[in-house]
Amino acid sequence: MQDVLMAGIIASATCLVSGPLLIPFLRRLKFGQHIRTDGPKGHLQKAGTPTMGGIMFFLSLTLGTLLVRGLTTEIAIMLLVTLGFGIIGFLDDFIKVVMKRPLGLKAREKLLGQIILAGLLAYAAMVNLGRGTEVLIPGTALSFSLSWLYIPFAIFVVVSASNAVNLTDGLDGLAAGVTLFSALAYLLITEAWGLVDLSVFSGALVGTCLGFLFFNIHPARVFMGDTGSLALGGAIGALAVVTKTELLLPLLGGIYVLETLSVIIQVISFRLTGKRVFRMSPLHHHFELSGWSEQSVVLVFWTGAALFASIAVAMVL
């Protein structure tokens, strides 16, 4: 546990030190957030707030893990996947903010990159980490093998996790706070199972979220952008794959699931009936438009994330 604590401290300190350097730099480059005009009107005042703050995740996660454990196979795989998803997000942000293409990367380009990275993760976990093709059944000591179906299953899990975190990133402190609880759950699980490298990585992920929240909590001084949200989602998805807890992830990351389902339901309802189920999706915007303050929505979602993560940990341990 001492290594885990040290990884978290290093990662958090790295964010706290790099933030005051990165944020003015992003502001000078005019890497400001574009705000949707059809969203909550209170968000319009956030226009121009520096985005792509997820860049600091690259440094904090790398230092937090490497300085404590060194470059082991597990840590190399976790970092490469996390940074790989972050680079996809960086390209998307760069195209939106710098090249002034509001839609960023084309959907098929982004999805292709995510699928390739998730596929490489699944293969590396099976071959280099000896993970096999078994998936644990939550709450039991049982597992089952997916055989050749495992790689497409793992790809679906990781890509879904990455995009779900991306959807959750819509309010100050929301995605970082929710991910903090998911990472903390994996820290407890991997520590209990004796997976030292993964617990150190999870500790660094917790520290990264804590450090970033210092700048991202309302009123946010910087947004993580797709650079950060895709990286966080890739990290959580990778932890699920390597620990064989893919089936636990929908509970452990319950807020991500609710946010994603709200978008799916909204799209299907509007296309079939021409009516919307929610005032706006993802779900956090529905509550904002229902009169909740941004801080209230974030606090309730954080509480929900803590509850989901606690239940998941209790089931496993």
Side-chain angles (χ1 to χ4, degrees):
M1 183 58 89
Q2 184 176 357
D3 283 351
V4 174
L5 182 60
M6 184 58 65
I9 291 173
I10 292 173
S12 184
T14 302
C15 279
L16 292 174
V17 170
S18 62
L21 301 175
L22 178 64
I23 294 171
F25 179 70
L26 294 174
R27 194 181 297 279
R28 284 198 301 272
L29 293 178
K30 299 186 185 214
F31 285 5
Q33 179 70 35
H34 171 75
I35 304 297
R36 292 171 54 181
T37 56
D38 59 340
K41 300 307 178 187
H43 286 208
L44 294 177
Q45 62 187 3
K46 300 181 182 184
T49 300
T51 188
M52 300 169 73
I55 292 172
M56 67 179 74
F57 297 175
F58 298 174
L59 189 59
S60 62
L61 279 171
T62 301
L63 289 180
T65 50
L66 293 186
L67 291 180
V68 174
R69 290 294 296 175
L71 191 61
T72 66
T73 302
E74 279 186 316
I75 285 178
I77 290 172
M78 296 301 296
L79 286 177
L80 286 173
V81 171
T82 303
L83 299 182
F85 273 88
I87 289 171
I88 293 173
F90 174 82
L91 293 174
D92 193 39
D93 285 333
F94 187 84
I95 292 171
K96 289 177 186 175
V97 176
V98 180
M99 299 180 66
K100 308 300 181 184
R101 274 174 40 190
L103 296 180
L105 284 173
K106 294 179 181 178
R108 62 176 178 271
E109 295 171 341
K110 188 186 299 186
L111 186 60
L112 178 61
Q114 293 174 327
I115 289 173
I116 291 172
L117 279 172
L120 291 174
L121 166 66
Y123 180 81
M126 291 168 56
V127 174
N128 299 100
L129 303 181
R131 185 220 175 281
T133 62
E134 295 77 25
V135 177
L136 299 178
I137 300 176
T140 75
L142 304 175
S143 65
F144 61 93
S145 175
L146 287 175
S147 187
W148 61 272
L149 288 174
Y150 178 72
I151 288 184
F153 170 72
I155 290 173
F156 172 77
V157 169
V158 178
V159 172
S160 297
S162 183
N163 287 292
V165 176
N166 185 238
L167 290 174
T168 304
D169 182 33
L171 301 179
D172 295 355
L174 181 56
V178 170
T179 303
L180 185 153
F181 290 109
S182 297
L184 184 58
Y186 271 118
L187 187 160
L188 296 173
I189 292 170
T190 53
E191 184 70 16
W193 288 353
L195 304 174
V196 181
D197 288 347
L198 295 180
S199 63
V200 167
F201 178 83
S202 299
L205 189 57
V206 169
T208 291
C209 292
L210 279 173
F212 184 73
L213 277 171
F214 181 79
F215 305 103
N216 184 238
I217 203 166
H218 186 81
R221 285 175 276 171
V222 67
F223 299 134
M224 67 175 68
D226 286 6
T227 306
S229 61
L230 292 185
L232 292 182
I236 294 296
L239 281 167
V241 166
V242 178
T243 58
K244 305 183 183 181
T245 57
E246 295 93 342
L247 296 182
L248 184 70
L249 186 55
L251 174 61
L252 188 149
I255 294 297
Y256 305 141
V257 175
L258 293 177
E259 294 272 43
T260 304
L261 284 177
S262 71
V263 174
I264 295 172
I265 292 170
Q266 187 88 319
V267 171
I268 292 175
S269 175
F270 189 75
R271 288 186 176 178
L272 293 180
T273 68
K275 297 180 180 179
R276 294 179 171 86
V277 175
F278 305 101
R279 292 175 183 268
M280 185 178 178
S281 64
L283 189 60
H284 53 263
H285 288 318
H286 169 78
F287 289 109
E288 271 196 294
L289 293 176
S290 297
W292 292 31
S293 69
E294 180 173 356
Q295 297 96 313
S296 296
V297 177
V298 171
L299 183 59
V300 169
F301 276 47
W302 280 5
T303 303
L307 181 61
F308 282 127
S310 298
I311 295 172
V313 171
M315 285 182 63
V316 172
L317 302 185

